[in-house]
Amino acid sequence: MNAPAPPAETLRAALAGLLDGLPPRQAAQAVERLIASYRGATPTDAPILRDRADVAAYAAYRMPATFEAVRSALEAFAEAVPGWVPGGHLDLGGGTGAAAWAVSATWGGERPVTVLDWAEPALALGREIAAADPALRDVRWQRSRIGAALTLESTDLVTVSYVLNELTAPDRIALVDAAAAAAQAVVIVEPGTPDGYARVIEARDRLVTAGFHVAAPCPHSDTCPIAPGTDWCHFSARVSRSSLHRQVKGGSLAYEDEKFSYVSAARFPVAPAPSRIVRRPQIRKGQVLLDLCETEPSLRRTTVTKRHGDLYKAARDADWGDPWPPSDPQVRRA
Ligand SMILES: C[S@@+](CC[C@H](N)C(=O)[O-])C[C@H]1O[C@@H](n2cnc3c(N)ncnc32)[C@H](O)[C@@H]1O
């Protein structure tokens, strides 16, 4: 018997099937409508994802990217909490369930999962897609509004991905406080824009005040060393482009890079990276330039040259977002 496909492939196949039978022009129009709604005034007082066409467009067009961004954030979190596996997961503003898929891809096995959202069509489609993964068949799809009245049952892990942008400032605060009260660990992902980063920092501050320890991307729980308004901390996740993407965006690139900002934090002790690469490494002849965020809150550029031996090899393989130096003891000694 063949081994089951990993969640990422199962998700890709399930999403590819979503638009089957829909004329390509109609699918592209649904995506364009959706992009226009997201460009409009958010927060809104009613869901943007109103019907199946909206939601199918969202799932086919955006879910692969939000899935990869959350998976990247969860991988960095998992490295900082070795051995920890969530016993339960609550995804707030979960829509069609991208974060539930990402949690399943990060920590195999089954756990109670609730996806909470106010858009019934998103939850319905999420349930339909999740039928493709046995680990997600028992997910509870809960229709609720995020706001001051929100109360949450205790769980190990709360994820909030690409949601803060859609909330008013008081609702953002209510959401982060409710997540902090309910969870052992919280992972928040936003678009990798200056505004997305600012919302992540606001949430990070509230989590730290509530007693959480930052696990990733920051090597510490002190104030972020970026002076407000001068820069923004963000990362990049590679996403395979579907034929729908190529149709809407034109061009023939097989992939695109989703930029995202994130924070992950836990109530229990964490082992953050000693420092993290916060820009794409620049590879020059015989040297690699790395921009690092370090334990003593500061940003520093370091140059790793051939003279550094194994460390140089590691720097050539290092990626934006990776911990530095790598945890391989051979390389650390170099
Ligand atoms: C951009 S989508 C992100 C969906 C999913 N988390 C992801 O990463 O793909 C934002 C989601 O937040 C939900 N949302 C926005 N405001 C909400 C509110 N006040 N209460 C509940 N859900 C809300 C929307 O319905 C939508 O599903």
Side-chain angles (χ1 to χ4, degrees):
M1 213 171 86
N2 291 336
E9 278 166 34
T10 311
L11 175 62
R12 213 184 324 278
L15 292 177
L18 267 186
L19 300 170
D20 279 355
L22 197 63
R25 233 179 89 75
Q26 214 173 317
Q29 277 167 356
V31 171
E32 271 150 18
R33 232 183 18 248
L34 188 73
I35 293 171
S37 317
Y38 272 105
R39 269 202 209 106
T42 41
T44 58
D45 51 17
I48 291 174
L49 301 173
R50 278 168 306 232
D51 55 28
R52 189 181 157 97
D54 283 351
V55 173
Y58 179 84
Y61 188 69
R62 282 299 295 154
M63 201 175 160
T66 60
F67 165 78
E68 288 298 349
V70 179
R71 185 162 72 147
S72 241
L74 291 174
E75 261 169 31
F77 176 62
E79 273 183 55
V81 292
W84 186 80
V85 176
H89 171 212
L90 169 61
D91 185 26
L92 296 175
T96 49
W101 283 85
V103 167
S104 175
T106 308
W107 297 279
E110 295 188 25
R111 58 190 57 81
V113 181
T114 299
V115 177
L116 180 152
D117 202 285
W118 66 352
E120 180 58 37
L123 297 171
L125 194 77
R127 180 185 288 118
E128 211 178 299
I129 302 167
D133 183 349
L136 298 177
R137 277 186 198 146
D138 293 330
V139 170
R140 190 170 147 230
W141 301 88
Q142 182 186 337
R143 185 174 186 184
S144 298
R145 184 188 181 110
I146 297 165
L150 183 68
T151 51
L152 303 174
E153 281 172 26
S154 299
T155 186
D156 276 356
L157 173 66
V158 166
T159 53
V160 184
S161 88
Y162 291 81
V163 179
L164 296 180
N165 176 38
E166 299 197 13
L167 304 177
T168 59
D171 284 354
R172 283 203 297 274
I173 289 173
L175 170 66
V176 176
D177 290 353
Q184 293 301 310
V186 177
V187 178
I188 295 177
V189 183
E190 279 286 287
T193 58
D195 287 350
Y197 161 72
R199 289 187 291 269
V200 164
I201 286 296
E202 183 190 56
R204 179 186 186 277
D205 289 348
R206 289 198 85 77
L207 291 172
V208 171
T209 304
F212 277 67
H213 312 284
V214 178
C218 327
H220 56 79
S221 298
D222 288 331
T223 306
C224 175
I226 297 177
T230 60
D231 200 354
W232 69 101
C233 178
H234 65 292
F235 301 92
S236 181
R238 187 141 288 189
V239 187
S240 305
R241 271 178 150 192
S242 62
S243 56
L244 176 66
H245 274 97
R246 287 197 282 267
Q247 209 181 311
V248 173
K249 290 208 167 167
S252 56
L253 261 191
Y255 63 83
E256 63 183 16
D257 289 328
E258 171 72 11
K259 303 288 181 354
F260 64 99
S261 291
Y262 75 100
V263 64
S264 59
R267 283 211 170 274
F268 49 86
V270 296
S275 62
R276 191 170 299 277
I277 302 171
V278 291
R279 286 257 181 278
R280 204 179 289 290
Q282 295 182 43
I283 301 186
R284 304 267 166 82
K285 201 161 183 279
Q287 57 182 29
V288 183
L289 311 186
L290 297 177
D291 288 308
L292 302 175
C293 183
E294 302 197 304
T295 315
E296 280 297 312
S298 73
L299 297 162
R300 183 175 68 92
R301 172 166 289 181
T302 187
T303 304
V304 187
T305 69
K306 273 192 175 160
R307 282 189 298 111
H308 292 100
D310 283 347
L311 197 63
Y312 171 68
K313 282 190 211 129
R316 286 187 62 93
D317 290 340
D319 230 334
W320 182 5
D322 285 352
W324 185 261
S327 45
D328 178 353
Q330 281 259 305
V331 171
R332 272 175 185 277
R333 270 202 305 275

